[in-house]
């Protein structure tokens, strides 16, 4: 990248409006995780729903003013994705130097938030689709060839790895490094419970992708919603679903902490 390009991106990072818009992305993520947690708890008591991002977006769209809120979500997620792209290009605003690992992580997060923005855009337009159905459809197409199955197994390993990383980050309390200032017991508790619960759910979703390949059953590869519902089918499933829902909801509350105190 040229010196002028780097300078322009650095100036963008010092834009108060840009930073606030990016922080709003964390707040929107918090709302969606609270909704996923609530849907998970409802599943424990026999009510329907999809306990994943698409289910949360559909739930939000069904509420008064929900469509307007979804457009806000689109803008916030795009802003957060652009912020991560900027970090990938020039590094963090408040850190000198450039760590390759941090930049790669920022780039990966940018892709994730762009995907969130795209999903929110679909529901804002009224054309949103279930993530589980889309995942199963993609899995079915890839399973038609040996290379496709290899791609699925790699994807499964990556998802499980991300889940394990979330659990590690929660248990080790490394998430505190992402926050400005001292971290109290309440925030630490939110982070531990939230990261651990989300990590276990992601790891479960990754394992289901692998199971779908080995059993030649693409219907098992339905992402987070499939992992949650598989959990509910186990002994003491109702209790496990309630605990999972509470954990995911706590991650949602922690996302509001990020919106206010994340190191940007």
């Amino acid at each position: 990248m040229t010196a002028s390009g780097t300078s322009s991106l650095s100036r963008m990072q010092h834009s108060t409006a840009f930073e606030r818009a990016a922080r709003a992305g964390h707040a929107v993520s918090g709302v969606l995780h609270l909704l996923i947690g609530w849907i998970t708890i409802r599943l424990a008591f026999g009510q329907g729903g999809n306990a994943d991002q698409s289910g949360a977006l559909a739930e939000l769209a069904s509420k008064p003013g929900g469509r307007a809120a979804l457009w806000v979500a689109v803008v916030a997620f795009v802003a957060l994705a652009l912020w991560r792209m900027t970090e990938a290009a020039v590094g963090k605003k408040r850190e000198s130097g450039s760590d390759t690992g941090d930049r790669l992580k920022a780039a990966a997060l940018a892709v994730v938030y762009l995907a969130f923005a795209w999903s929110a855009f679909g529901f804002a337009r009224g054309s949103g689709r279930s993530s589980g159905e889309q995942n199963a459809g993609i899995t079915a197409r890839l399973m038609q060839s040996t290379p496709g199955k290899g791609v699925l197994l790699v994807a499964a390993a990556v998802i499980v790895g991300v889940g394990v990383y979330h659990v590690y980050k929660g248990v080790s309390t490394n998430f505190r490094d992402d926050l400005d200032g001292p971290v109290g017991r309440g925030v630490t508790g939110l982070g531990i419970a939230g990261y651990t619960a989300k990590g276990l759910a992601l790891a479960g979703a990754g394992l289901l992708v692998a199971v779908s390949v080995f059993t030649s059953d693409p219907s098992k590869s339905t992402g987070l919603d499939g992992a949650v519902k598989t959990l509910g089918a186990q002994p003491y499933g109702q209790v496990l679903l309630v605990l999972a829902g509470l954990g995911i909801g706590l991650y949602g509350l922690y996302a509001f902490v990020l919106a206010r105190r994340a190191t940007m």
Side-chain angles (χ1 to χ4, degrees):
M1 181 177 291
T2 64
S4 61
T6 300
S7 178
S8 297
L9 290 175
S10 296
R11 285 197 299 271
M12 284 178 60
Q13 283 186 320
H14 287 81
S15 166
T16 301
F18 184 22
E19 181 174 331
R20 287 177 176 173
R23 288 183 181 278
H26 287 304
V28 172
S29 176
V31 171
L32 294 184
H33 278 88
L34 285 172
L35 287 172
I36 293 171
W38 172 238
I39 293 169
T40 301
I41 292 173
R42 288 193 323 204
L43 288 171
F45 295 96
Q47 299 183 45
N50 293 323
D52 56 16
Q53 179 191 333
S54 65
L57 291 169
E59 185 85 9
L60 185 59
S62 69
K63 305 300 181 185
R67 288 289 176 85
L70 286 172
W71 286 113
V72 172
V74 173
V75 173
F77 279 140
V78 168
L80 187 50
L82 291 175
W83 186 276
R84 295 305 187 194
M85 288 180 188
T86 303
E87 287 183 340
V90 300
K92 286 182 174 292
K93 180 176 73 172
R94 301 182 187 181
E95 294 181 7
S96 58
S98 57
D99 180 87
T100 301
D102 286 341
R103 291 194 179 198
L104 289 174
K105 179 182 175 182
L109 287 172
V111 173
V112 170
Y113 290 125
L114 282 176
F116 287 172
W118 180 253
S119 294
F121 177 69
F123 280 92
R125 292 195 312 161
S127 58
R129 294 176 56 197
S130 165
S131 298
E133 292 178 0
Q134 293 182 62
N135 291 337
I138 293 172
T139 299
R141 289 193 293 273
L142 288 173
M143 285 176 59
Q144 294 174 4
S145 67
T146 299
K149 291 179 180 179
V151 170
L152 286 172
L153 290 176
V154 171
V158 170
I159 296 169
V160 170
V162 172
V164 170
Y165 174 72
H166 273 70
V167 173
Y168 166 75
K169 193 169 184 177
V171 173
S172 67
T173 68
N174 281 353
F175 57 84
R176 294 183 296 182
D177 296 337
D178 300 332
L179 303 175
D180 277 333
V183 180
R185 291 182 179 179
V187 172
T188 300
L190 283 178
I192 292 172
Y195 271 102
T196 301
K198 183 175 180 180
L200 290 173
L202 287 172
L207 288 173
L208 285 179
V209 174
V211 169
S212 71
V213 175
F214 290 121
T215 61
S216 299
D217 184 0
S219 66
K220 294 183 182 296
S221 179
T222 52
L224 181 60
D225 179 61
V228 167
K229 289 176 179 175
T230 298
L231 183 67
Q234 306 309 308
Y236 304 103
Q238 185 178 50
V239 174
L240 294 174
L241 282 178
V242 170
L243 291 175
L246 290 174
I248 294 171
L250 289 174
Y251 182 86
L253 293 178
Y254 178 77
F256 289 108
V257 177
L258 284 174
R260 182 174 178 82
R261 296 184 51 193
T263 302
M264 300 293 281

